[in-house]
Amino acid sequence: MIPIKPKEAMWSDEQWQAIYESGKNILVNAGAGSGKTAVLTERIIRILKEGISFDRLIVLTFTKAAASEMKERLRIKLTREIKQGNLHLQAALDFLDQAAVQTFDSFALELVRRYHYLLGIDRSLRIGDGVIFAIKRKQIIDEVFTEFYEAENENFQNLVSLFSIKNDHTLQNYINNILKKIALLPDVDAYLHDYNDHFYNEDFIRKQIKKFESLFALERERIRERLFRLKNRVDDEALLLHVLECEEALSPILAARHYSDYREVEGLKLPTIPRAVDDEKQKALVSYQKQEIKKSLDKIRDYLEYRDEDEMLAMILETKPYTESIIALFKRINAKIRVFKRENNLYEFEDVAKMAIRLVSDNQELREN
């Protein structure tokens, strides 16, 4: 139970809750300079005062500087608490230099080295320079492309023809950039294995098309809002009649709900502002709002690449062979990169992080200890 916050407490209600909440996982989402480090320090002190040993705590930060700052804050706070009579915290202060207050990277590396035998790797694994991996990745991509050329795979050849003009450098760079991004996923193999089943599922694609329609709806509502403003601000009779004529011309768009409904925009033209209007200020207002409405109509036209939802679905499904070739490239490239890393006992930080996650996920004893 969270204790009642004293009136003289320096903490906000949310900070107080973050310090004393227990028995559940908590997430504190706050901006820079909002006191997150101070709150975490106080929470650790609260846990230690309750009798939890420091060797049961793991405190992880993103940078070495933050870890050092955290240890120093804990040292100051523990020293103060001991002087105030909390003598049982002396053990925590003595243990502070050995405590797991460190970066995510260093903790993961320590865990992997300690339990390397469970992963089937050498304990002396090293973290390689990013430049080395960048060069090796490009070399392996070139090797795999050569393999695929020699195999005369039709889908691969079509892929190269689609993305290449003079040579395949653009496609290789594309593959390289995507590889670097998906390398951050927790399980790249599972992602690639399930990709086509997930993303080329007709129900999934139709749901995405519906989301695409929300872009139309956004512009439609912008048009509606501009017409509403004009009808409420224009009192010149001729101009107001003109606004109503514009609204009538736009009625197919305002009533549109599905992709195919918006095809009406293709031949749509707004009537011209009547010349016999004396109020130049209101005339300028109508002219400006009409220009903004035309911008929304142009955006809708830009989105209308297909005749209807079924044509869009068919075009997306036609890209599946290209995606299959890209996935095959990814799998082969990743396999060769893994061989290089294992043979040289050289890894990237994301590799170590994934190995640490796998250790904890697959071994109940580690989670309990």
Side-chain angles (χ1 to χ4, degrees):
M1 181 179 293
I2 299 176
I4 297 173
K5 186 181 75 170
K7 291 183 179 180
E8 67 276 9
M10 60 177 283
W11 311 104
S12 68
D13 291 344
E14 292 80 6
Q15 289 174 326
W16 186 263
Q17 182 180 7
I19 292 167
Y20 286 98
E21 187 72 76
S22 61
K24 64 177 74 172
N25 296 325
I26 68 168
L27 171 66
V28 177
N29 185 7
S34 58
K36 294 188 299 297
T37 304
V39 166
L40 180 56
T41 302
E42 193 68 22
R43 181 175 174 83
I44 294 168
I45 295 296
R46 189 267 298 172
I47 292 172
L48 293 172
K49 288 171 74 173
E50 291 176 357
I52 304 298
S53 176
F54 216 149
D55 62 5
R56 302 295 298 170
L57 300 182
I58 299 174
V59 183
L60 303 180
T61 68
F62 285 105
T63 66
K64 291 180 180 179
S68 297
E69 180 188 356
M70 177 65 70
K71 277 194 173 183
E72 189 56 32
R73 289 194 184 203
L74 285 168
R75 194 183 311 279
I76 293 171
K77 188 71 176 176
L78 285 168
T79 301
R80 186 181 302 150
E81 290 286 341
I82 292 168
K83 288 181 179 179
Q84 292 175 355
N86 292 305
L87 301 180
H88 66 288
L89 292 177
Q90 184 64 52
L93 180 60
D94 294 340
F95 185 76
L96 181 59
D97 289 329
Q98 291 81 46
V101 181
Q102 57 197 123
T103 64
F104 285 93
D105 287 339
S106 63
F107 175 74
L109 185 59
E110 180 182 304
L111 195 64
V112 168
R113 281 178 171 162
R114 184 182 302 173
Y115 298 102
H116 65 97
Y117 55 89
L118 295 176
L119 296 164
I121 62 173
D122 195 297
R123 188 185 187 284
S124 60
L125 79 159
R126 296 168 295 146
I127 301 298
D129 189 284
V131 175
I132 295 174
F133 288 111
I135 294 172
K136 190 62 182 179
R137 190 179 294 108
K138 285 187 176 182
Q139 177 187 330
I140 289 175
I141 290 172
D142 192 54
E143 291 173 0
V144 171
F145 265 63
T146 300
E147 291 178 12
F148 276 57
Y149 281 124
E150 292 175 350
E152 298 183 352
N153 181 281
E154 183 179 356
N155 286 343
F156 172 72
Q157 291 175 344
N158 290 337
L159 177 70
V160 173
S161 298
L162 181 66
F163 282 94
S164 303
I165 300 176
K166 293 182 178 180
N167 52 52
D168 58 17
H169 293 169
T170 299
L171 180 57
Q172 287 200 23
N173 288 335
Y174 171 80
I175 295 294
N176 192 14
N177 290 333
I178 298 298
L179 274 172
K180 287 187 285 187
K181 291 179 180 178
I182 65 172
L184 301 175
L185 295 172
D187 192 338
V188 176
D189 291 338
Y191 176 78
L192 294 176
H193 180 271
D194 298 337
Y195 188 93
N196 278 340
D197 289 340
H198 178 72
F199 291 104
Y200 282 92
N201 176 285
E202 184 171 330
D203 290 338
F204 173 82
I205 295 173
R206 288 196 180 277
K207 287 179 182 177
Q208 302 313 303
I209 291 174
K210 291 299 179 185
K211 291 181 181 179
F212 186 73
E213 289 174 357
S214 66
L215 298 174
F216 295 134
L218 178 63
E219 298 305 326
R220 181 194 68 210
E221 294 310 309
R222 283 175 175 167
I223 292 171
R224 194 189 308 278
E225 176 63 23
R226 294 189 183 283
L227 289 170
F228 177 80
R229 290 178 189 173
L230 285 174
K231 287 191 292 183
N232 282 276
R233 294 177 63 181
V234 172
D235 50 26
D236 181 276
E237 186 174 341
L239 276 178
L240 184 56
L241 179 60
H242 173 69
V243 171
L244 294 175
E245 289 173 348
C246 289
E247 185 175 43
E248 178 63 26
L250 290 163
S251 59
I253 301 301
L254 297 175
R257 290 296 179 271
H258 303 290
Y259 185 96
S260 55
D261 297 338
Y262 290 95
R263 304 296 309 186
E264 297 290 337
V265 76
E266 291 181 333
L268 193 151
K269 291 185 179 180
L270 296 180
T272 305
I273 296 177
R275 293 182 179 180
V277 175
D278 296 328
D279 193 328
E280 292 297 326
K281 187 175 181 180
Q282 288 205 348
K283 189 175 181 179
L285 172 64
V286 172
S287 178
Y288 169 77
Q289 293 292 357
K290 282 183 65 179
Q291 288 300 318
E292 294 302 306
I293 288 172
K294 287 178 180 178
K295 289 179 183 178
S296 289
L297 293 175
D298 287 340
K299 286 184 179 180
I300 292 174
R301 290 188 185 98
D302 290 341
Y303 297 143
L304 287 170
E305 186 175 347
Y306 307 98
R307 184 175 61 254
D308 53 30
E309 296 95 325
D310 290 335
E311 184 179 78
M312 184 186 290
L313 173 65
M315 291 294 290
I316 292 172
L317 291 175
E318 284 181 10
T319 66
K320 187 175 181 179
Y322 302 121
T323 304
E324 289 173 343
S325 290
I326 292 172
I327 290 174
L329 284 167
F330 285 164
K331 288 181 177 179
R332 181 60 181 148
I333 293 165
N334 280 336
K336 291 175 76 71
I337 289 174
R338 287 194 188 104
V339 170
F340 167 76
K341 289 178 176 179
R342 185 172 287 272
E343 287 180 347
N344 292 276
N345 203 28
L346 199 64
Y347 296 91
E348 297 175 90
F349 270 119
E350 55 258 36
D351 299 319
V352 175
K354 291 177 187 179
M355 287 189 280
I357 291 171
R358 191 161 74 247
L359 276 171
V360 176
S361 300
D362 296 348
N363 296 277
Q364 185 176 351
E365 291 183 5
L366 291 186
R367 294 197 299 274
E368 293 175 349
N369 293 331

